[in-house]
């Protein structure tokens, strides 16, 4: 396919927003190439390298935690990348930028799913010379932060859990997830795509038959009702371009539910009780709500 006819789409998500399930849905489209979180892999690789090599005493506990984490994630990646998965050693910002600018002539649609907030301060590494449609997937911060806290807490060795504070995570600024997502949204509007698409996870799960056709129309991809259900075969994710090492572990832990899904199902509409939340989670939610609310007003509606 010529570069003029090929569609290219970014899905910029917040954590715990069902973005991997949306990638599963998109994988049903013929001629698609899914990229799974290339900037996230690169961010964490760079951050872990900084922590591991720094002599700053502030990282002392973080290094101990990093050494302990394999006990919580005992699964190891298989030695040889399979399918379209790529060895982690290649994931550096200039390499990702170049890959997302490169021709993929046998594909009709390039779909890149990533975390918006992790690209903050790295916009120079967005692809240039290629026209991408930019889309955003958001979710109410009450669900995002409570779910994220549980994910991190239960995957942290018990002896280290007392140090957990969502406002001071060593690998990324969790308390600014929505601030940085909002910032990227504004940057995209001003510089790359004057009308970026926003969808909310609650609308997506409650009304997939209404939201998905509108999303497909907005990105210029013909809609089929068959896309409401998808294949949960492991072969699907093997066709994604992703860090082999990181994805091989994530598919057994953080991504397991999403990649075993076959459709969107309604989520609870009852907000998590603040009585069940820690102080740091509540503070993160309060900081996030103004940014979320502004983006929510511009979302695709059922």
């Amino acid at each position: 396919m010529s570069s003029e006819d090929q569609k290219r789409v970014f899905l910029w998500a917040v954590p715990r927003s069902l973005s991997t399930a949306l990638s599963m849905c998109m994988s049903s489209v013929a001629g698609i190439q899914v990229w799974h979180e290339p900037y996230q892999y690169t961010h964490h690789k760079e951050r872990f390298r900084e922590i591991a090599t720094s002599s700053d005493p502030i990282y002392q506990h973080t290094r101990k935690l990093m050494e302990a984490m394999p006990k919580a994630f005992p699964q190891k990646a298989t030695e040889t990348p399979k399918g379209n998965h790529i060895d982690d050693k290649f994931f550096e910002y200039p390499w990702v930028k170049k890959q997302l600018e490169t021709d993929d002539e046998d594909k009709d649609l390039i779909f890149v799913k990533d975390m918006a907030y992790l690209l903050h301060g790295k916009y120079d590494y967005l692809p240039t010379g290629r026209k991408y449609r930019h889309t955003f997937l958001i979710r109410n911060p009450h669900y995002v932060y409570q779910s994220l806290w549980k994910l991190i807490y239960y995957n942290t060795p018990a002896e280290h859990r007392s140090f957990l504070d969502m406002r001071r995570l060593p690998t990324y600024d969790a308390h600014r997830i929505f601030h940085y997502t909002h910032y990227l949204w504004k940057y995209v509007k001003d510089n790359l795509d004057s009308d970026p698409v926003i969808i909310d996870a609650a609308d997506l799960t409650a009304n997939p038959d209404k939201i998905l056709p509108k999303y497909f129309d907005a990105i210029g991809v013909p809609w089929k009702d068959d896309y409401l259900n998808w294949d949960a075969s492991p072969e699907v994710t093997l066709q994604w371009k992703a860090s082999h090492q990181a994805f091989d572990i994530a598919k057994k832990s953080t991504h397991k539910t999403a990649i075993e899904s076959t459709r969107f199902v309604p989520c609870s509409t009852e907000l998590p009780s603040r009585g069940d939340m820690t102080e740091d989670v509540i503070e993160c939610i309060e900081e996030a709500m103004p940014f979320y609310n502004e983006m929510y007003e511009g979302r695709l509606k059922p």
Side-chain angles (χ1 to χ4, degrees):
M1 167 168 284
S2 68
S3 58
E4 292 78 14
D5 295 329
Q6 186 183 70
K7 301 288 193 303
R8 290 179 175 245
V9 177
F10 269 111
L11 175 66
W12 297 110
V14 297
R16 318 308 294 161
S17 62
L18 301 121
S19 60
T20 300
L22 184 51
S23 289
M24 292 292 294
C25 170
M26 294 300 302
S27 296
S28 299
V29 178
I32 192 173
Q33 178 60 68
V34 174
W35 275 88
H36 182 78
E37 302 180 355
Y39 289 111
Q40 169 152 270
Y41 297 143
T42 304
H43 167 87
H44 285 299
K45 179 181 174 181
E46 183 179 86
R47 194 76 179 104
F48 288 150
R49 186 165 53 211
E50 177 186 343
I51 292 170
T53 60
S54 175
S55 59
D56 193 327
I58 196 172
Y59 291 137
Q60 182 177 357
H61 174 260
T62 303
R63 282 193 288 271
K64 290 181 180 179
L65 180 57
M66 288 169 63
E67 292 170 0
M69 288 309 292
K71 299 176 184 177
F73 292 98
Q75 310 95 335
K76 293 184 179 179
T78 54
E79 293 182 2
T80 306
K82 297 179 180 179
N84 282 335
H85 292 189
I86 303 163
D87 195 290
D88 185 65
K89 67 183 180 183
F90 291 105
F91 283 83
E92 304 287 350
Y93 285 107
W95 180 87
V96 172
K97 180 178 187 295
K98 183 177 180 180
Q99 295 303 305
L100 299 184
E101 294 170 346
T102 299
D103 286 332
D104 207 339
E105 295 179 353
D106 63 333
K107 299 299 181 182
D108 300 323
L109 172 63
I110 308 298
F111 185 82
V112 187
K113 192 270 278 195
D114 222 313
M115 297 291 112
Y117 66 103
L118 292 180
L119 197 62
H120 191 70
K122 302 283 188 179
Y123 296 164
D124 287 347
Y125 293 108
L126 284 166
T128 56
R130 294 289 189 181
K131 179 65 175 176
Y132 276 85
R133 189 79 166 97
H134 289 261
T135 68
F136 290 79
L137 176 59
I138 58 174
R139 192 182 188 190
N140 189 299
H142 289 77
Y143 299 115
V144 168
Y145 280 109
Q146 185 69 343
S147 177
L148 188 59
W149 181 88
K150 288 180 179 178
L151 175 70
I152 297 172
Y153 182 85
Y154 289 111
N155 284 297
T156 298
E159 64 270 25
H160 295 276
R161 289 175 181 169
S162 62
F163 293 95
L164 177 59
D165 188 325
M166 296 294 290
R167 298 162 297 189
R168 299 177 184 85
L169 294 183
T171 51
Y172 57 89
D173 297 328
H175 62 298
R176 291 181 176 162
I177 286 171
F178 285 85
H179 181 182
Y180 291 166
T181 300
H182 180 275
Y183 195 97
L184 177 60
W185 173 56
K186 291 288 192 181
Y187 177 85
V188 165
K189 289 177 69 174
D190 292 342
N191 298 279
L192 302 173
D193 184 345
S194 61
D195 188 26
V197 181
I198 301 172
I199 52 178
D200 186 83
D203 294 329
L204 177 61
T205 56
N207 300 283
D209 58 325
K210 296 182 175 65
I211 293 297
L212 284 172
K214 291 183 178 183
Y215 181 73
F216 274 65
D217 181 63
I219 63 176
V221 176
W223 168 255
K224 297 179 181 179
D225 287 342
D226 291 346
Y227 296 153
L228 289 170
N229 297 275
W230 55 83
D231 183 7
S233 166
E235 296 300 316
V236 173
T237 56
L238 281 177
Q239 301 311 308
W240 295 357
K241 291 188 176 181
S243 163
H244 162 63
Q245 287 86 344
F247 190 84
D248 203 55
I249 294 173
K251 72 181 182 182
K252 304 164 188 171
S253 53
T254 56
H255 292 350
K256 188 176 189 295
T257 300
I259 65 178
E260 292 179 354
S261 67
T262 58
R263 62 189 177 93
F264 288 109
V265 295
C267 297
S268 172
T269 58
E270 183 178 348
L271 289 179
S273 170
R274 290 201 173 192
D276 297 329
M277 297 178 183
T278 57
E279 178 185 344
D280 54 320
V281 169
I282 293 172
E283 188 173 312
C284 286
I285 291 169
E286 291 177 347
E287 180 175 332
M289 285 306 297
F291 301 109
Y292 168 76
N293 286 335
E294 184 179 349
M295 295 185 71
Y296 184 81
E297 286 302 311
R299 78 197 190 283
L300 289 179
K301 298 178 177 64

